[in-house]
Amino acid sequence: MIEDFHHPLEPFTVPNWIFLSLAWVIVAGTIAFTWFAYPLLPNPIPTHFNLAGTPDDFSPKGFWVVFFPVLIQVVLTAGLSVVYRYPKYSNIPTSMFIELLKPEAREKVYWVIQHMIAVLIAVMNGLFAYLQIAIVQTSLGDVHGLNGWIMGGFIGLIFLVSIVYSV
């Protein structure tokens, strides 16, 4: 029954505060990297990449153009941190039924949800940090776009985490 429920990853769990701290460190690192790289960027900068990872659209260098991915990263991290803190108020399918469980079972279900959110926040921040680094490096001519293996790895990891915690 649900009282005996144990998530398969439970014995191997890294505490949530480590994932959340790592996520905010990545956010701070992305902000610092972008701040120091901004004066070095040429005009225009790549703002879109095709499926092959090469830039196919450019925009004039501007503060909001350069910092837009970082802004999305901050908003998503802050928003998901709120969902992490208050999972019962999130729009999780069947959340109404979670509230009907016994308190011990409800806490276990919320633990799984919170752990999944903490891991996804860290992975998502890694993805956004990579995108920002690739934009800067491509602008400076150091690389010629996004690495498909790295992008595929991050996207695959997001799907894998979602599937593993949903089971």
Side-chain angles (χ1 to χ4, degrees):
M1 294 304 245
I2 195 76
E3 289 82 19
D4 299 328
F5 167 76
H6 292 287
H7 194 271
L9 295 179
E10 202 168 346
F12 309 105
T13 302
V14 175
N16 291 345
W17 68 268
I18 292 177
F19 287 112
L20 295 172
S21 298
L22 175 64
W24 284 107
V25 167
I26 293 171
V27 168
T30 306
I31 292 170
F33 172 80
T34 306
W35 185 264
F36 289 113
Y38 182 79
L40 306 172
L41 295 176
N43 194 12
I45 62 164
T47 52
H48 191 268
F49 296 85
N50 61 23
L51 287 175
T54 56
D56 63 358
D57 195 17
F58 295 82
S59 294
K61 175 186 163 184
F63 182 82
W64 291 112
V65 172
V66 174
F67 277 88
F68 186 69
V70 178
L71 177 65
I72 292 173
Q73 183 182 20
V74 169
V75 168
L76 283 174
T77 303
L80 287 173
S81 294
V82 170
V83 172
Y84 168 83
R85 177 71 176 95
Y86 304 103
K88 69 180 181 180
Y89 298 119
S90 63
N91 189 13
I92 299 168
T94 70
S95 59
M96 171 176 69
F97 299 109
I98 295 172
E99 289 300 313
L100 299 176
L101 296 173
K102 292 181 182 177
E104 313 85 45
R106 187 178 329 128
E107 292 306 313
K108 288 180 181 181
V109 171
Y110 282 137
W111 174 88
V112 171
I113 293 168
Q114 285 181 310
H115 201 270
M116 178 183 76
I117 291 170
V119 172
L120 284 175
I121 290 171
V123 173
M124 177 209 62
N125 274 295
L127 172 64
F128 274 95
Y130 170 70
L131 287 172
Q132 192 66 4
I133 291 167
I135 289 169
V136 168
Q137 287 182 326
T138 302
S139 297
L140 298 174
D142 293 340
V143 296
H144 301 289
L146 299 172
N147 182 314
W149 288 103
I150 295 174
M151 287 298 297
F154 273 114
I155 293 169
L157 192 55
I158 289 170
F159 280 116
L160 180 66
V161 168
S162 300
I163 290 168
V164 166
Y165 281 94
S166 296
V167 170

